[in-house]
Amino acid sequence: MSADEANTSPLERIQRPEVSKETAKKIALVEEQFIRAEVEQLRQSTLLLRPLFEKRSEVIAEPDVRDTFWTRVMLNAPAEIEEYITMTDATILASTLKNLTVERFEIDEKAQGEPRSFRLTFEFRTGDENPYFENEKLVKEFYWRKQALTTAKGHKRTWDGLVSEPVRINWKKGQDPTKGLLDAACDLAEAEKKGGDRKKLPEFAKVIEKREEIEAAEEQEEDEDELPEDGPGGMSFFAFFGYRGSDVTAEHSQNATKEDNERFEKLLKGESVDGEEEDDDEDDDVEDDFDDIEVFPGGDELAIAIAEDLWPNALKYYVTDQSIEEVDFDDSELDISADEEEEEENDRPRKKTKV
Amino acid sequence: MSADEANTSPLERIQRPEVSKETAKKIALVEEQFIRAEVEQLRQSTLLLRPLFEKRSEVIAEPDVRDTFWTRVMLNAPAEIEEYITMTDATILASTLKNLTVERFEIDEKAQGEPRSFRLTFEFRTGDENPYFENEKLVKEFYWRKQALTTAKGHKRTWDGLVSEPVRINWKKGQDPTKGLLDAACDLAEAEKKGGDRKKLPEFAKVIEKREEIEAAEEQEEDEDELPEDGPGGMSFFAFFGYRGSDVTAEHSQNATKEDNERFEKLLKGESVDGEEEDDDEDDDVEDDFDDIEVFPGGDELAIAIAEDLWPNALKYYVTDQSIEEVDFDDSELDISADEEEEEENDRPRKKTKV
């Protein structure tokens, strides 16, 4: 025990471990290996579980289940999803949502590809059965992309995460719960494709204006002490279809991924890599003007919660009665076994099953 | 739309879906297939991740990490673990815990076996460096077992979950934070092995008495409005070593598992199985006198949280500073990169990595 150690209590030493740069690097490398192993497992399990998800789709297409399945699942969902669904959204979903599918579409039959990209397909009633919008399907694709960035001070960083394009909803007159925000996001993305500086586009100003309107309305509601029945920032769930994340192209991402893999391979071999010696500097940020135009911040978290939790655990959410307890409802009329209703919604194997 | 449906709102229909017995059975079968697929995945990943866990063990054996690693991880652990660690426990762990290992020991080199069984090995300082107890190691094994049960009304049920044997700790004089409860649990288990009716053993009465003493002490503390610095029921973490769960033998479990697999195979083929037509009956319970002698209720949940969360995510918990915010501590002295400290502790792949 050094003289230094003798002066600190065991709890203090645990609260401030003095880890060398060298060891911190080793820790970071092993952690990256774990993350890569997790991605590989997701790749394998995506392929293995596909037949089971298909079987589930058949079961929930049964006439006595299909009309209520996905809405019930969404309303029983964990807080991280349910918080985004306003009462208005719930009413729209309850009367129109027919089906939901999640596909990790970049995984081929040999389990090759990026398993963190996925496609959400929402299917809806149409015509007179849908007083809200015209779309029969809303297809929202999320691509896992990596971006090579340079900080204000010239250091290299990478970002990786989900990017997506806004998906337009053809609202019937006066029915848009996003109050024009989703349309503005779609208009901006379309205008950007025609070229020009984003910030000079009139569609850019329109997105900012719509965001401010919604924030102002939300603040007023809060002042008036109304019931907080809206999602974060007063946002409708349907604004989620406007999520973009970032605008990393597939090509940029491929190059950044290739470079990153090379860096990782070098580290594995014990070779040194550029930039590794940099000090961390919390003030040395990457400029990101995407924050200004993101109409649904947290859209990536929500998308991941849908793909990683709601989708694989849908049967569990269907048979729980979490949201039901809050309303006047007689349990006994629900034709699902009591055992199943009482199940916890974690994803570890059940403790009790019936013979 | 039937006349019945016309009378209910969409939200009401979702809150009370009218699912037929037939469909409910199909849902239960698909759900069981998912659970079995999850177990198979755990089997595969156990084998695949072993080399990575070994590499991690090497890194955390570095001199600047090993003295603080596991205690820091345990104190940064999620609430479901941390709630069991009293201030007294934290002090003991901080000055004595040297290493923790989780082994899913029933998985062989061909990835065969029960992946939900595991062994926790805690290693400690000894001699003068440990004023609390004599043990150099505490090895607690958890076996995933299945039990065939018969209800009060004669119906068949199965239970499956973790069973374990009490592990004795050789406390130094006056140092036992379980106040004799763990010893009583060990004494009872040993006495039971010699045969006889459990409830007539003097060791049975002793366990009941110790439990009541601790509960009474806890109630008194609550009345005196003291700070709630103890775990649930005033229990020390070290009483966890007394957890038993149930007393299902390996042989009984093998037979019950075999029967259960046969039932499952029949269901898959669309054949009917005994007992499947039973109505659920919440009052039709299985008598369980194990509740009386369980010195650490929830020990299975805690063990699973350690094996499924603390162990695989230990590096993440090590680099977070969750518990540290509560104490007077200067962040900058912690030699781990700021990026890593800010990471969320969920287990999905990171969004930001450095080049």
Side-chain angles (χ1 to χ4, degrees), chain B residues 291-325:
Chain B
D291 286 351
D292 294 337
I293 56 155
E294 182 54 77
V295 300
F296 203 86
D300 49 350
E301 304 283 340
L302 175 57
I304 287 170
I306 292 172
E308 284 190 359
D309 186 351
L310 196 81
W311 171 253
N313 299 313
L315 289 175
K316 282 180 217 158
Y317 292 124
Y318 180 68
V319 298
T320 52
D321 56 356
Q322 168 174 313
S323 74
I324 292 165
E325 286 170 306

Side-chain angles (χ1 to χ4, degrees), chain A residues 209-220 233 235:
Chain A
E209 183 195 315
K210 284 286 165 195
R211 282 188 56 177
E212 284 169 359
E213 275 176 26
I214 287 169
E215 277 161 27
E218 175 68 4
E219 271 168 30
Q220 202 185 335
M235 206 64 83

